[in-house]
PDB file of all heavy atoms in Angstrom:
ATOM      1  N   ARG D  28      -2.584  24.089  -5.933  1.00 98.00           N
ATOM      2  CA  ARG D  28      -1.669  25.168  -6.169  1.00 98.00           C
ATOM      3  C   ARG D  28      -2.492  26.516  -6.111  1.00 98.00           C
ATOM      4  O   ARG D  28      -3.740  26.618  -6.435  1.00 98.00           O
ATOM      5  CB  ARG D  28      -0.904  25.109  -7.391  1.00 98.00           C
ATOM      6  CG  ARG D  28      -1.599  25.250  -8.640  1.00 98.00           C
ATOM      7  CD  ARG D  28      -1.713  26.677  -9.288  1.00 98.00           C
ATOM      8  NE  ARG D  28      -2.659  26.814 -10.467  1.00 98.00           N
ATOM      9  CZ  ARG D  28      -3.925  27.088 -10.336  1.00 98.00           C
ATOM     10  NH1 ARG D  28      -4.481  27.364  -9.198  1.00 98.00           N
ATOM     11  NH2 ARG D  28      -4.610  27.198 -11.386  1.00 98.00           N
ATOM     12  N   GLU D  34      -1.469  35.211 -14.832  1.00 98.00           N
ATOM     13  CA  GLU D  34      -2.442  34.301 -15.355  1.00 98.00           C
ATOM     14  C   GLU D  34      -2.522  34.250 -16.931  1.00 98.00           C
ATOM     15  O   GLU D  34      -2.418  35.320 -17.469  1.00 98.00           O
ATOM     16  CB  GLU D  34      -3.794  34.638 -14.746  1.00 98.00           C
ATOM     17  CG  GLU D  34      -4.623  33.482 -14.135  1.00 98.00           C
ATOM     18  CD  GLU D  34      -3.873  32.852 -12.991  1.00 98.00           C
ATOM     19  OE1 GLU D  34      -3.940  33.469 -11.937  1.00 98.00           O
ATOM     20  OE2 GLU D  34      -3.413  31.719 -13.212  1.00 98.00           O
ATOM     21  N   HIS D  35      -2.735  33.106 -17.354  1.00 97.00           N
ATOM     22  CA  HIS D  35      -2.831  32.924 -18.929  1.00 97.00           C
ATOM     23  C   HIS D  35      -1.518  33.364 -19.580  1.00 97.00           C
ATOM     24  O   HIS D  35      -1.637  33.989 -20.630  1.00 97.00           O
ATOM     25  CB  HIS D  35      -3.964  33.662 -19.409  1.00 97.00           C
ATOM     26  CG  HIS D  35      -5.300  33.094 -18.989  1.00 97.00           C
ATOM     27  ND1 HIS D  35      -5.961  32.045 -19.554  1.00 97.00           N
ATOM     28  CD2 HIS D  35      -6.202  33.374 -17.919  1.00 97.00           C
ATOM     29  CE1 HIS D  35      -7.017  31.637 -19.009  1.00 97.00           C
ATOM     30  NE2 HIS D  35      -7.234  32.505 -17.860  1.00 97.00           N
ATOM     31  N   ASP D  37       1.222  31.011 -19.272  1.00 98.00           N
ATOM     32  CA  ASP D  37       2.027  29.793 -19.415  1.00 98.00           C
ATOM     33  C   ASP D  37       1.917  29.229 -20.803  1.00 98.00           C
ATOM     34  O   ASP D  37       2.899  28.812 -21.363  1.00 98.00           O
ATOM     35  CB  ASP D  37       1.717  28.605 -18.491  1.00 98.00           C
ATOM     36  CG  ASP D  37       0.297  28.148 -18.343  1.00 98.00           C
ATOM     37  OD1 ASP D  37      -0.670  28.789 -19.097  1.00 98.00           O
ATOM     38  OD2 ASP D  37       0.065  27.182 -17.629  1.00 98.00           O
ATOM     39  N   TYR D  38       0.716  29.215 -21.464  1.00 97.00           N
ATOM     40  CA  TYR D  38       0.671  28.775 -22.814  1.00 97.00           C
ATOM     41  C   TYR D  38       1.084  29.695 -23.926  1.00 97.00           C
ATOM     42  O   TYR D  38       0.953  29.445 -25.146  1.00 97.00           O
ATOM     43  CB  TYR D  38      -0.834  28.179 -23.052  1.00 97.00           C
ATOM     44  CG  TYR D  38      -1.872  29.266 -22.769  1.00 97.00           C
ATOM     45  CD1 TYR D  38      -2.207  30.209 -23.753  1.00 97.00           C
ATOM     46  CD2 TYR D  38      -2.591  29.173 -21.676  1.00 97.00           C
ATOM     47  CE1 TYR D  38      -3.272  31.092 -23.492  1.00 97.00           C
ATOM     48  CE2 TYR D  38      -3.606  30.102 -21.450  1.00 97.00           C
ATOM     49  CZ  TYR D  38      -3.822  31.014 -22.261  1.00 97.00           C
ATOM     50  OH  TYR D  38      -4.933  31.850 -22.047  1.00 97.00           O
ATOM     51  N   THR D 167      -4.529  22.827 -21.448  1.00 93.00           N
ATOM     52  CA  THR D 167      -3.931  23.472 -20.375  1.00 93.00           C
ATOM     53  C   THR D 167      -2.372  23.759 -20.731  1.00 93.00           C
ATOM     54  O   THR D 167      -1.840  23.012 -21.381  1.00 93.00           O
ATOM     55  CB  THR D 167      -3.981  22.951 -19.040  1.00 93.00           C
ATOM     56  OG1 THR D 167      -3.108  21.737 -19.030  1.00 93.00           O
ATOM     57  CG2 THR D 167      -5.467  22.375 -18.718  1.00 93.00           C
ATOM     58  N   GLY D 168      -1.918  24.857 -19.951  1.00 96.00           N
ATOM     59  CA  GLY D 168      -0.567  25.069 -20.032  1.00 96.00           C
ATOM     60  C   GLY D 168       0.149  24.098 -19.004  1.00 96.00           C
ATOM     61  O   GLY D 168      -0.496  23.060 -18.483  1.00 96.00           O
ATOM     62  N   MET D 170       1.780  25.198 -16.025  1.00 98.00           N
ATOM     63  CA  MET D 170       2.008  25.673 -14.774  1.00 98.00           C
ATOM     64  C   MET D 170       1.578  24.763 -13.677  1.00 98.00           C
ATOM     65  O   MET D 170       2.360  24.596 -12.615  1.00 98.00           O
ATOM     66  CB  MET D 170       1.319  27.062 -14.653  1.00 98.00           C
ATOM     67  CG  MET D 170       1.087  27.555 -13.176  1.00 98.00           C
ATOM     68  SD  MET D 170       0.466  29.121 -13.104  1.00 98.00           S
ATOM     69  CE  MET D 170      -1.383  28.915 -13.424  1.00 98.00           C
ATOM     70  N   ASP D 171       0.395  24.332 -13.674  1.00 98.00           N
ATOM     71  CA  ASP D 171      -0.223  23.606 -12.497  1.00 98.00           C
ATOM     72  C   ASP D 171       0.565  22.279 -12.239  1.00 98.00           C
ATOM     73  O   ASP D 171       1.002  22.048 -11.064  1.00 98.00           O
ATOM     74  CB  ASP D 171      -1.642  23.240 -12.766  1.00 98.00           C
ATOM     75  CG  ASP D 171      -2.550  24.523 -13.101  1.00 98.00           C
ATOM     76  OD1 ASP D 171      -2.058  25.641 -12.919  1.00 98.00           O
ATOM     77  OD2 ASP D 171      -3.613  24.302 -13.722  1.00 98.00           O
ATOM     78  N   TYR D 220     -11.528  28.821 -22.166  1.00 91.00           N
ATOM     79  CA  TYR D 220     -10.124  28.782 -22.000  1.00 91.00           C
ATOM     80  C   TYR D 220      -9.384  28.492 -23.424  1.00 91.00           C
ATOM     81  O   TYR D 220      -8.441  29.023 -23.739  1.00 91.00           O
ATOM     82  CB  TYR D 220      -9.687  27.652 -21.015  1.00 91.00           C
ATOM     83  CG  TYR D 220      -8.343  27.374 -20.794  1.00 91.00           C
ATOM     84  CD1 TYR D 220      -7.739  28.146 -19.551  1.00 91.00           C
ATOM     85  CD2 TYR D 220      -7.534  26.693 -21.477  1.00 91.00           C
ATOM     86  CE1 TYR D 220      -6.344  27.936 -19.393  1.00 91.00           C
ATOM     87  CE2 TYR D 220      -6.079  26.430 -21.285  1.00 91.00           C
ATOM     88  CZ  TYR D 220      -5.548  27.054 -20.123  1.00 91.00           C
ATOM     89  OH  TYR D 220      -4.277  27.046 -19.857  1.00 91.00           O
ATOM     90  N   GLY D 328      -5.971  31.363 -11.041  1.00 95.00           N
ATOM     91  CA  GLY D 328      -6.407  30.190 -11.990  1.00 95.00           C
ATOM     92  C   GLY D 328      -7.046  30.789 -13.316  1.00 95.00           C
ATOM     93  O   GLY D 328      -6.818  31.875 -13.592  1.00 95.00           O
ATOM     94  N   ALA D 329      -7.751  29.844 -13.969  1.00 94.00           N
ATOM     95  CA  ALA D 329      -8.208  30.127 -15.268  1.00 94.00           C
ATOM     96  C   ALA D 329      -9.365  31.280 -15.251  1.00 94.00           C
ATOM     97  O   ALA D 329      -9.467  32.032 -16.286  1.00 94.00           O
ATOM     98  CB  ALA D 329      -8.771  28.952 -15.956  1.00 94.00           C
TER      99      ALA D 329
HETATM  100  C1  GLA T 423      -5.446  26.818 -15.742  1.00 93.92           C
HETATM  101  C2  GLA T 423      -4.421  26.153 -16.566  1.00 93.92           C
HETATM  102  C3  GLA T 423      -3.090  26.673 -16.485  1.00 93.92           C
HETATM  103  C4  GLA T 423      -2.963  28.184 -16.688  1.00 93.92           C
HETATM  104  C5  GLA T 423      -4.102  28.799 -15.946  1.00 93.92           C
HETATM  105  C6  GLA T 423      -4.315  30.346 -16.323  1.00 93.92           C
HETATM  106  O1  GLA T 423      -5.133  26.687 -14.356  1.00 93.92           O
HETATM  107  O2  GLA T 423      -4.512  24.639 -16.156  1.00 93.92           O
HETATM  108  O3  GLA T 423      -2.295  26.029 -17.407  1.00 93.92           O
HETATM  109  O4  GLA T 423      -3.111  28.439 -18.113  1.00 93.92           O
HETATM  110  O5  GLA T 423      -5.395  28.295 -16.065  1.00 93.92           O
HETATM  111  O6  GLA T 423      -3.218  30.952 -15.916  1.00 93.92           O
END
Side-chain angles (χ1 to χ4, degrees):
R28 69 95 187 89
E34 228 61 78
H35 293 276
D37 61 351
Y38 52 79
T167 72
M170 165 172 76
D171 306 342
Y220 183 92

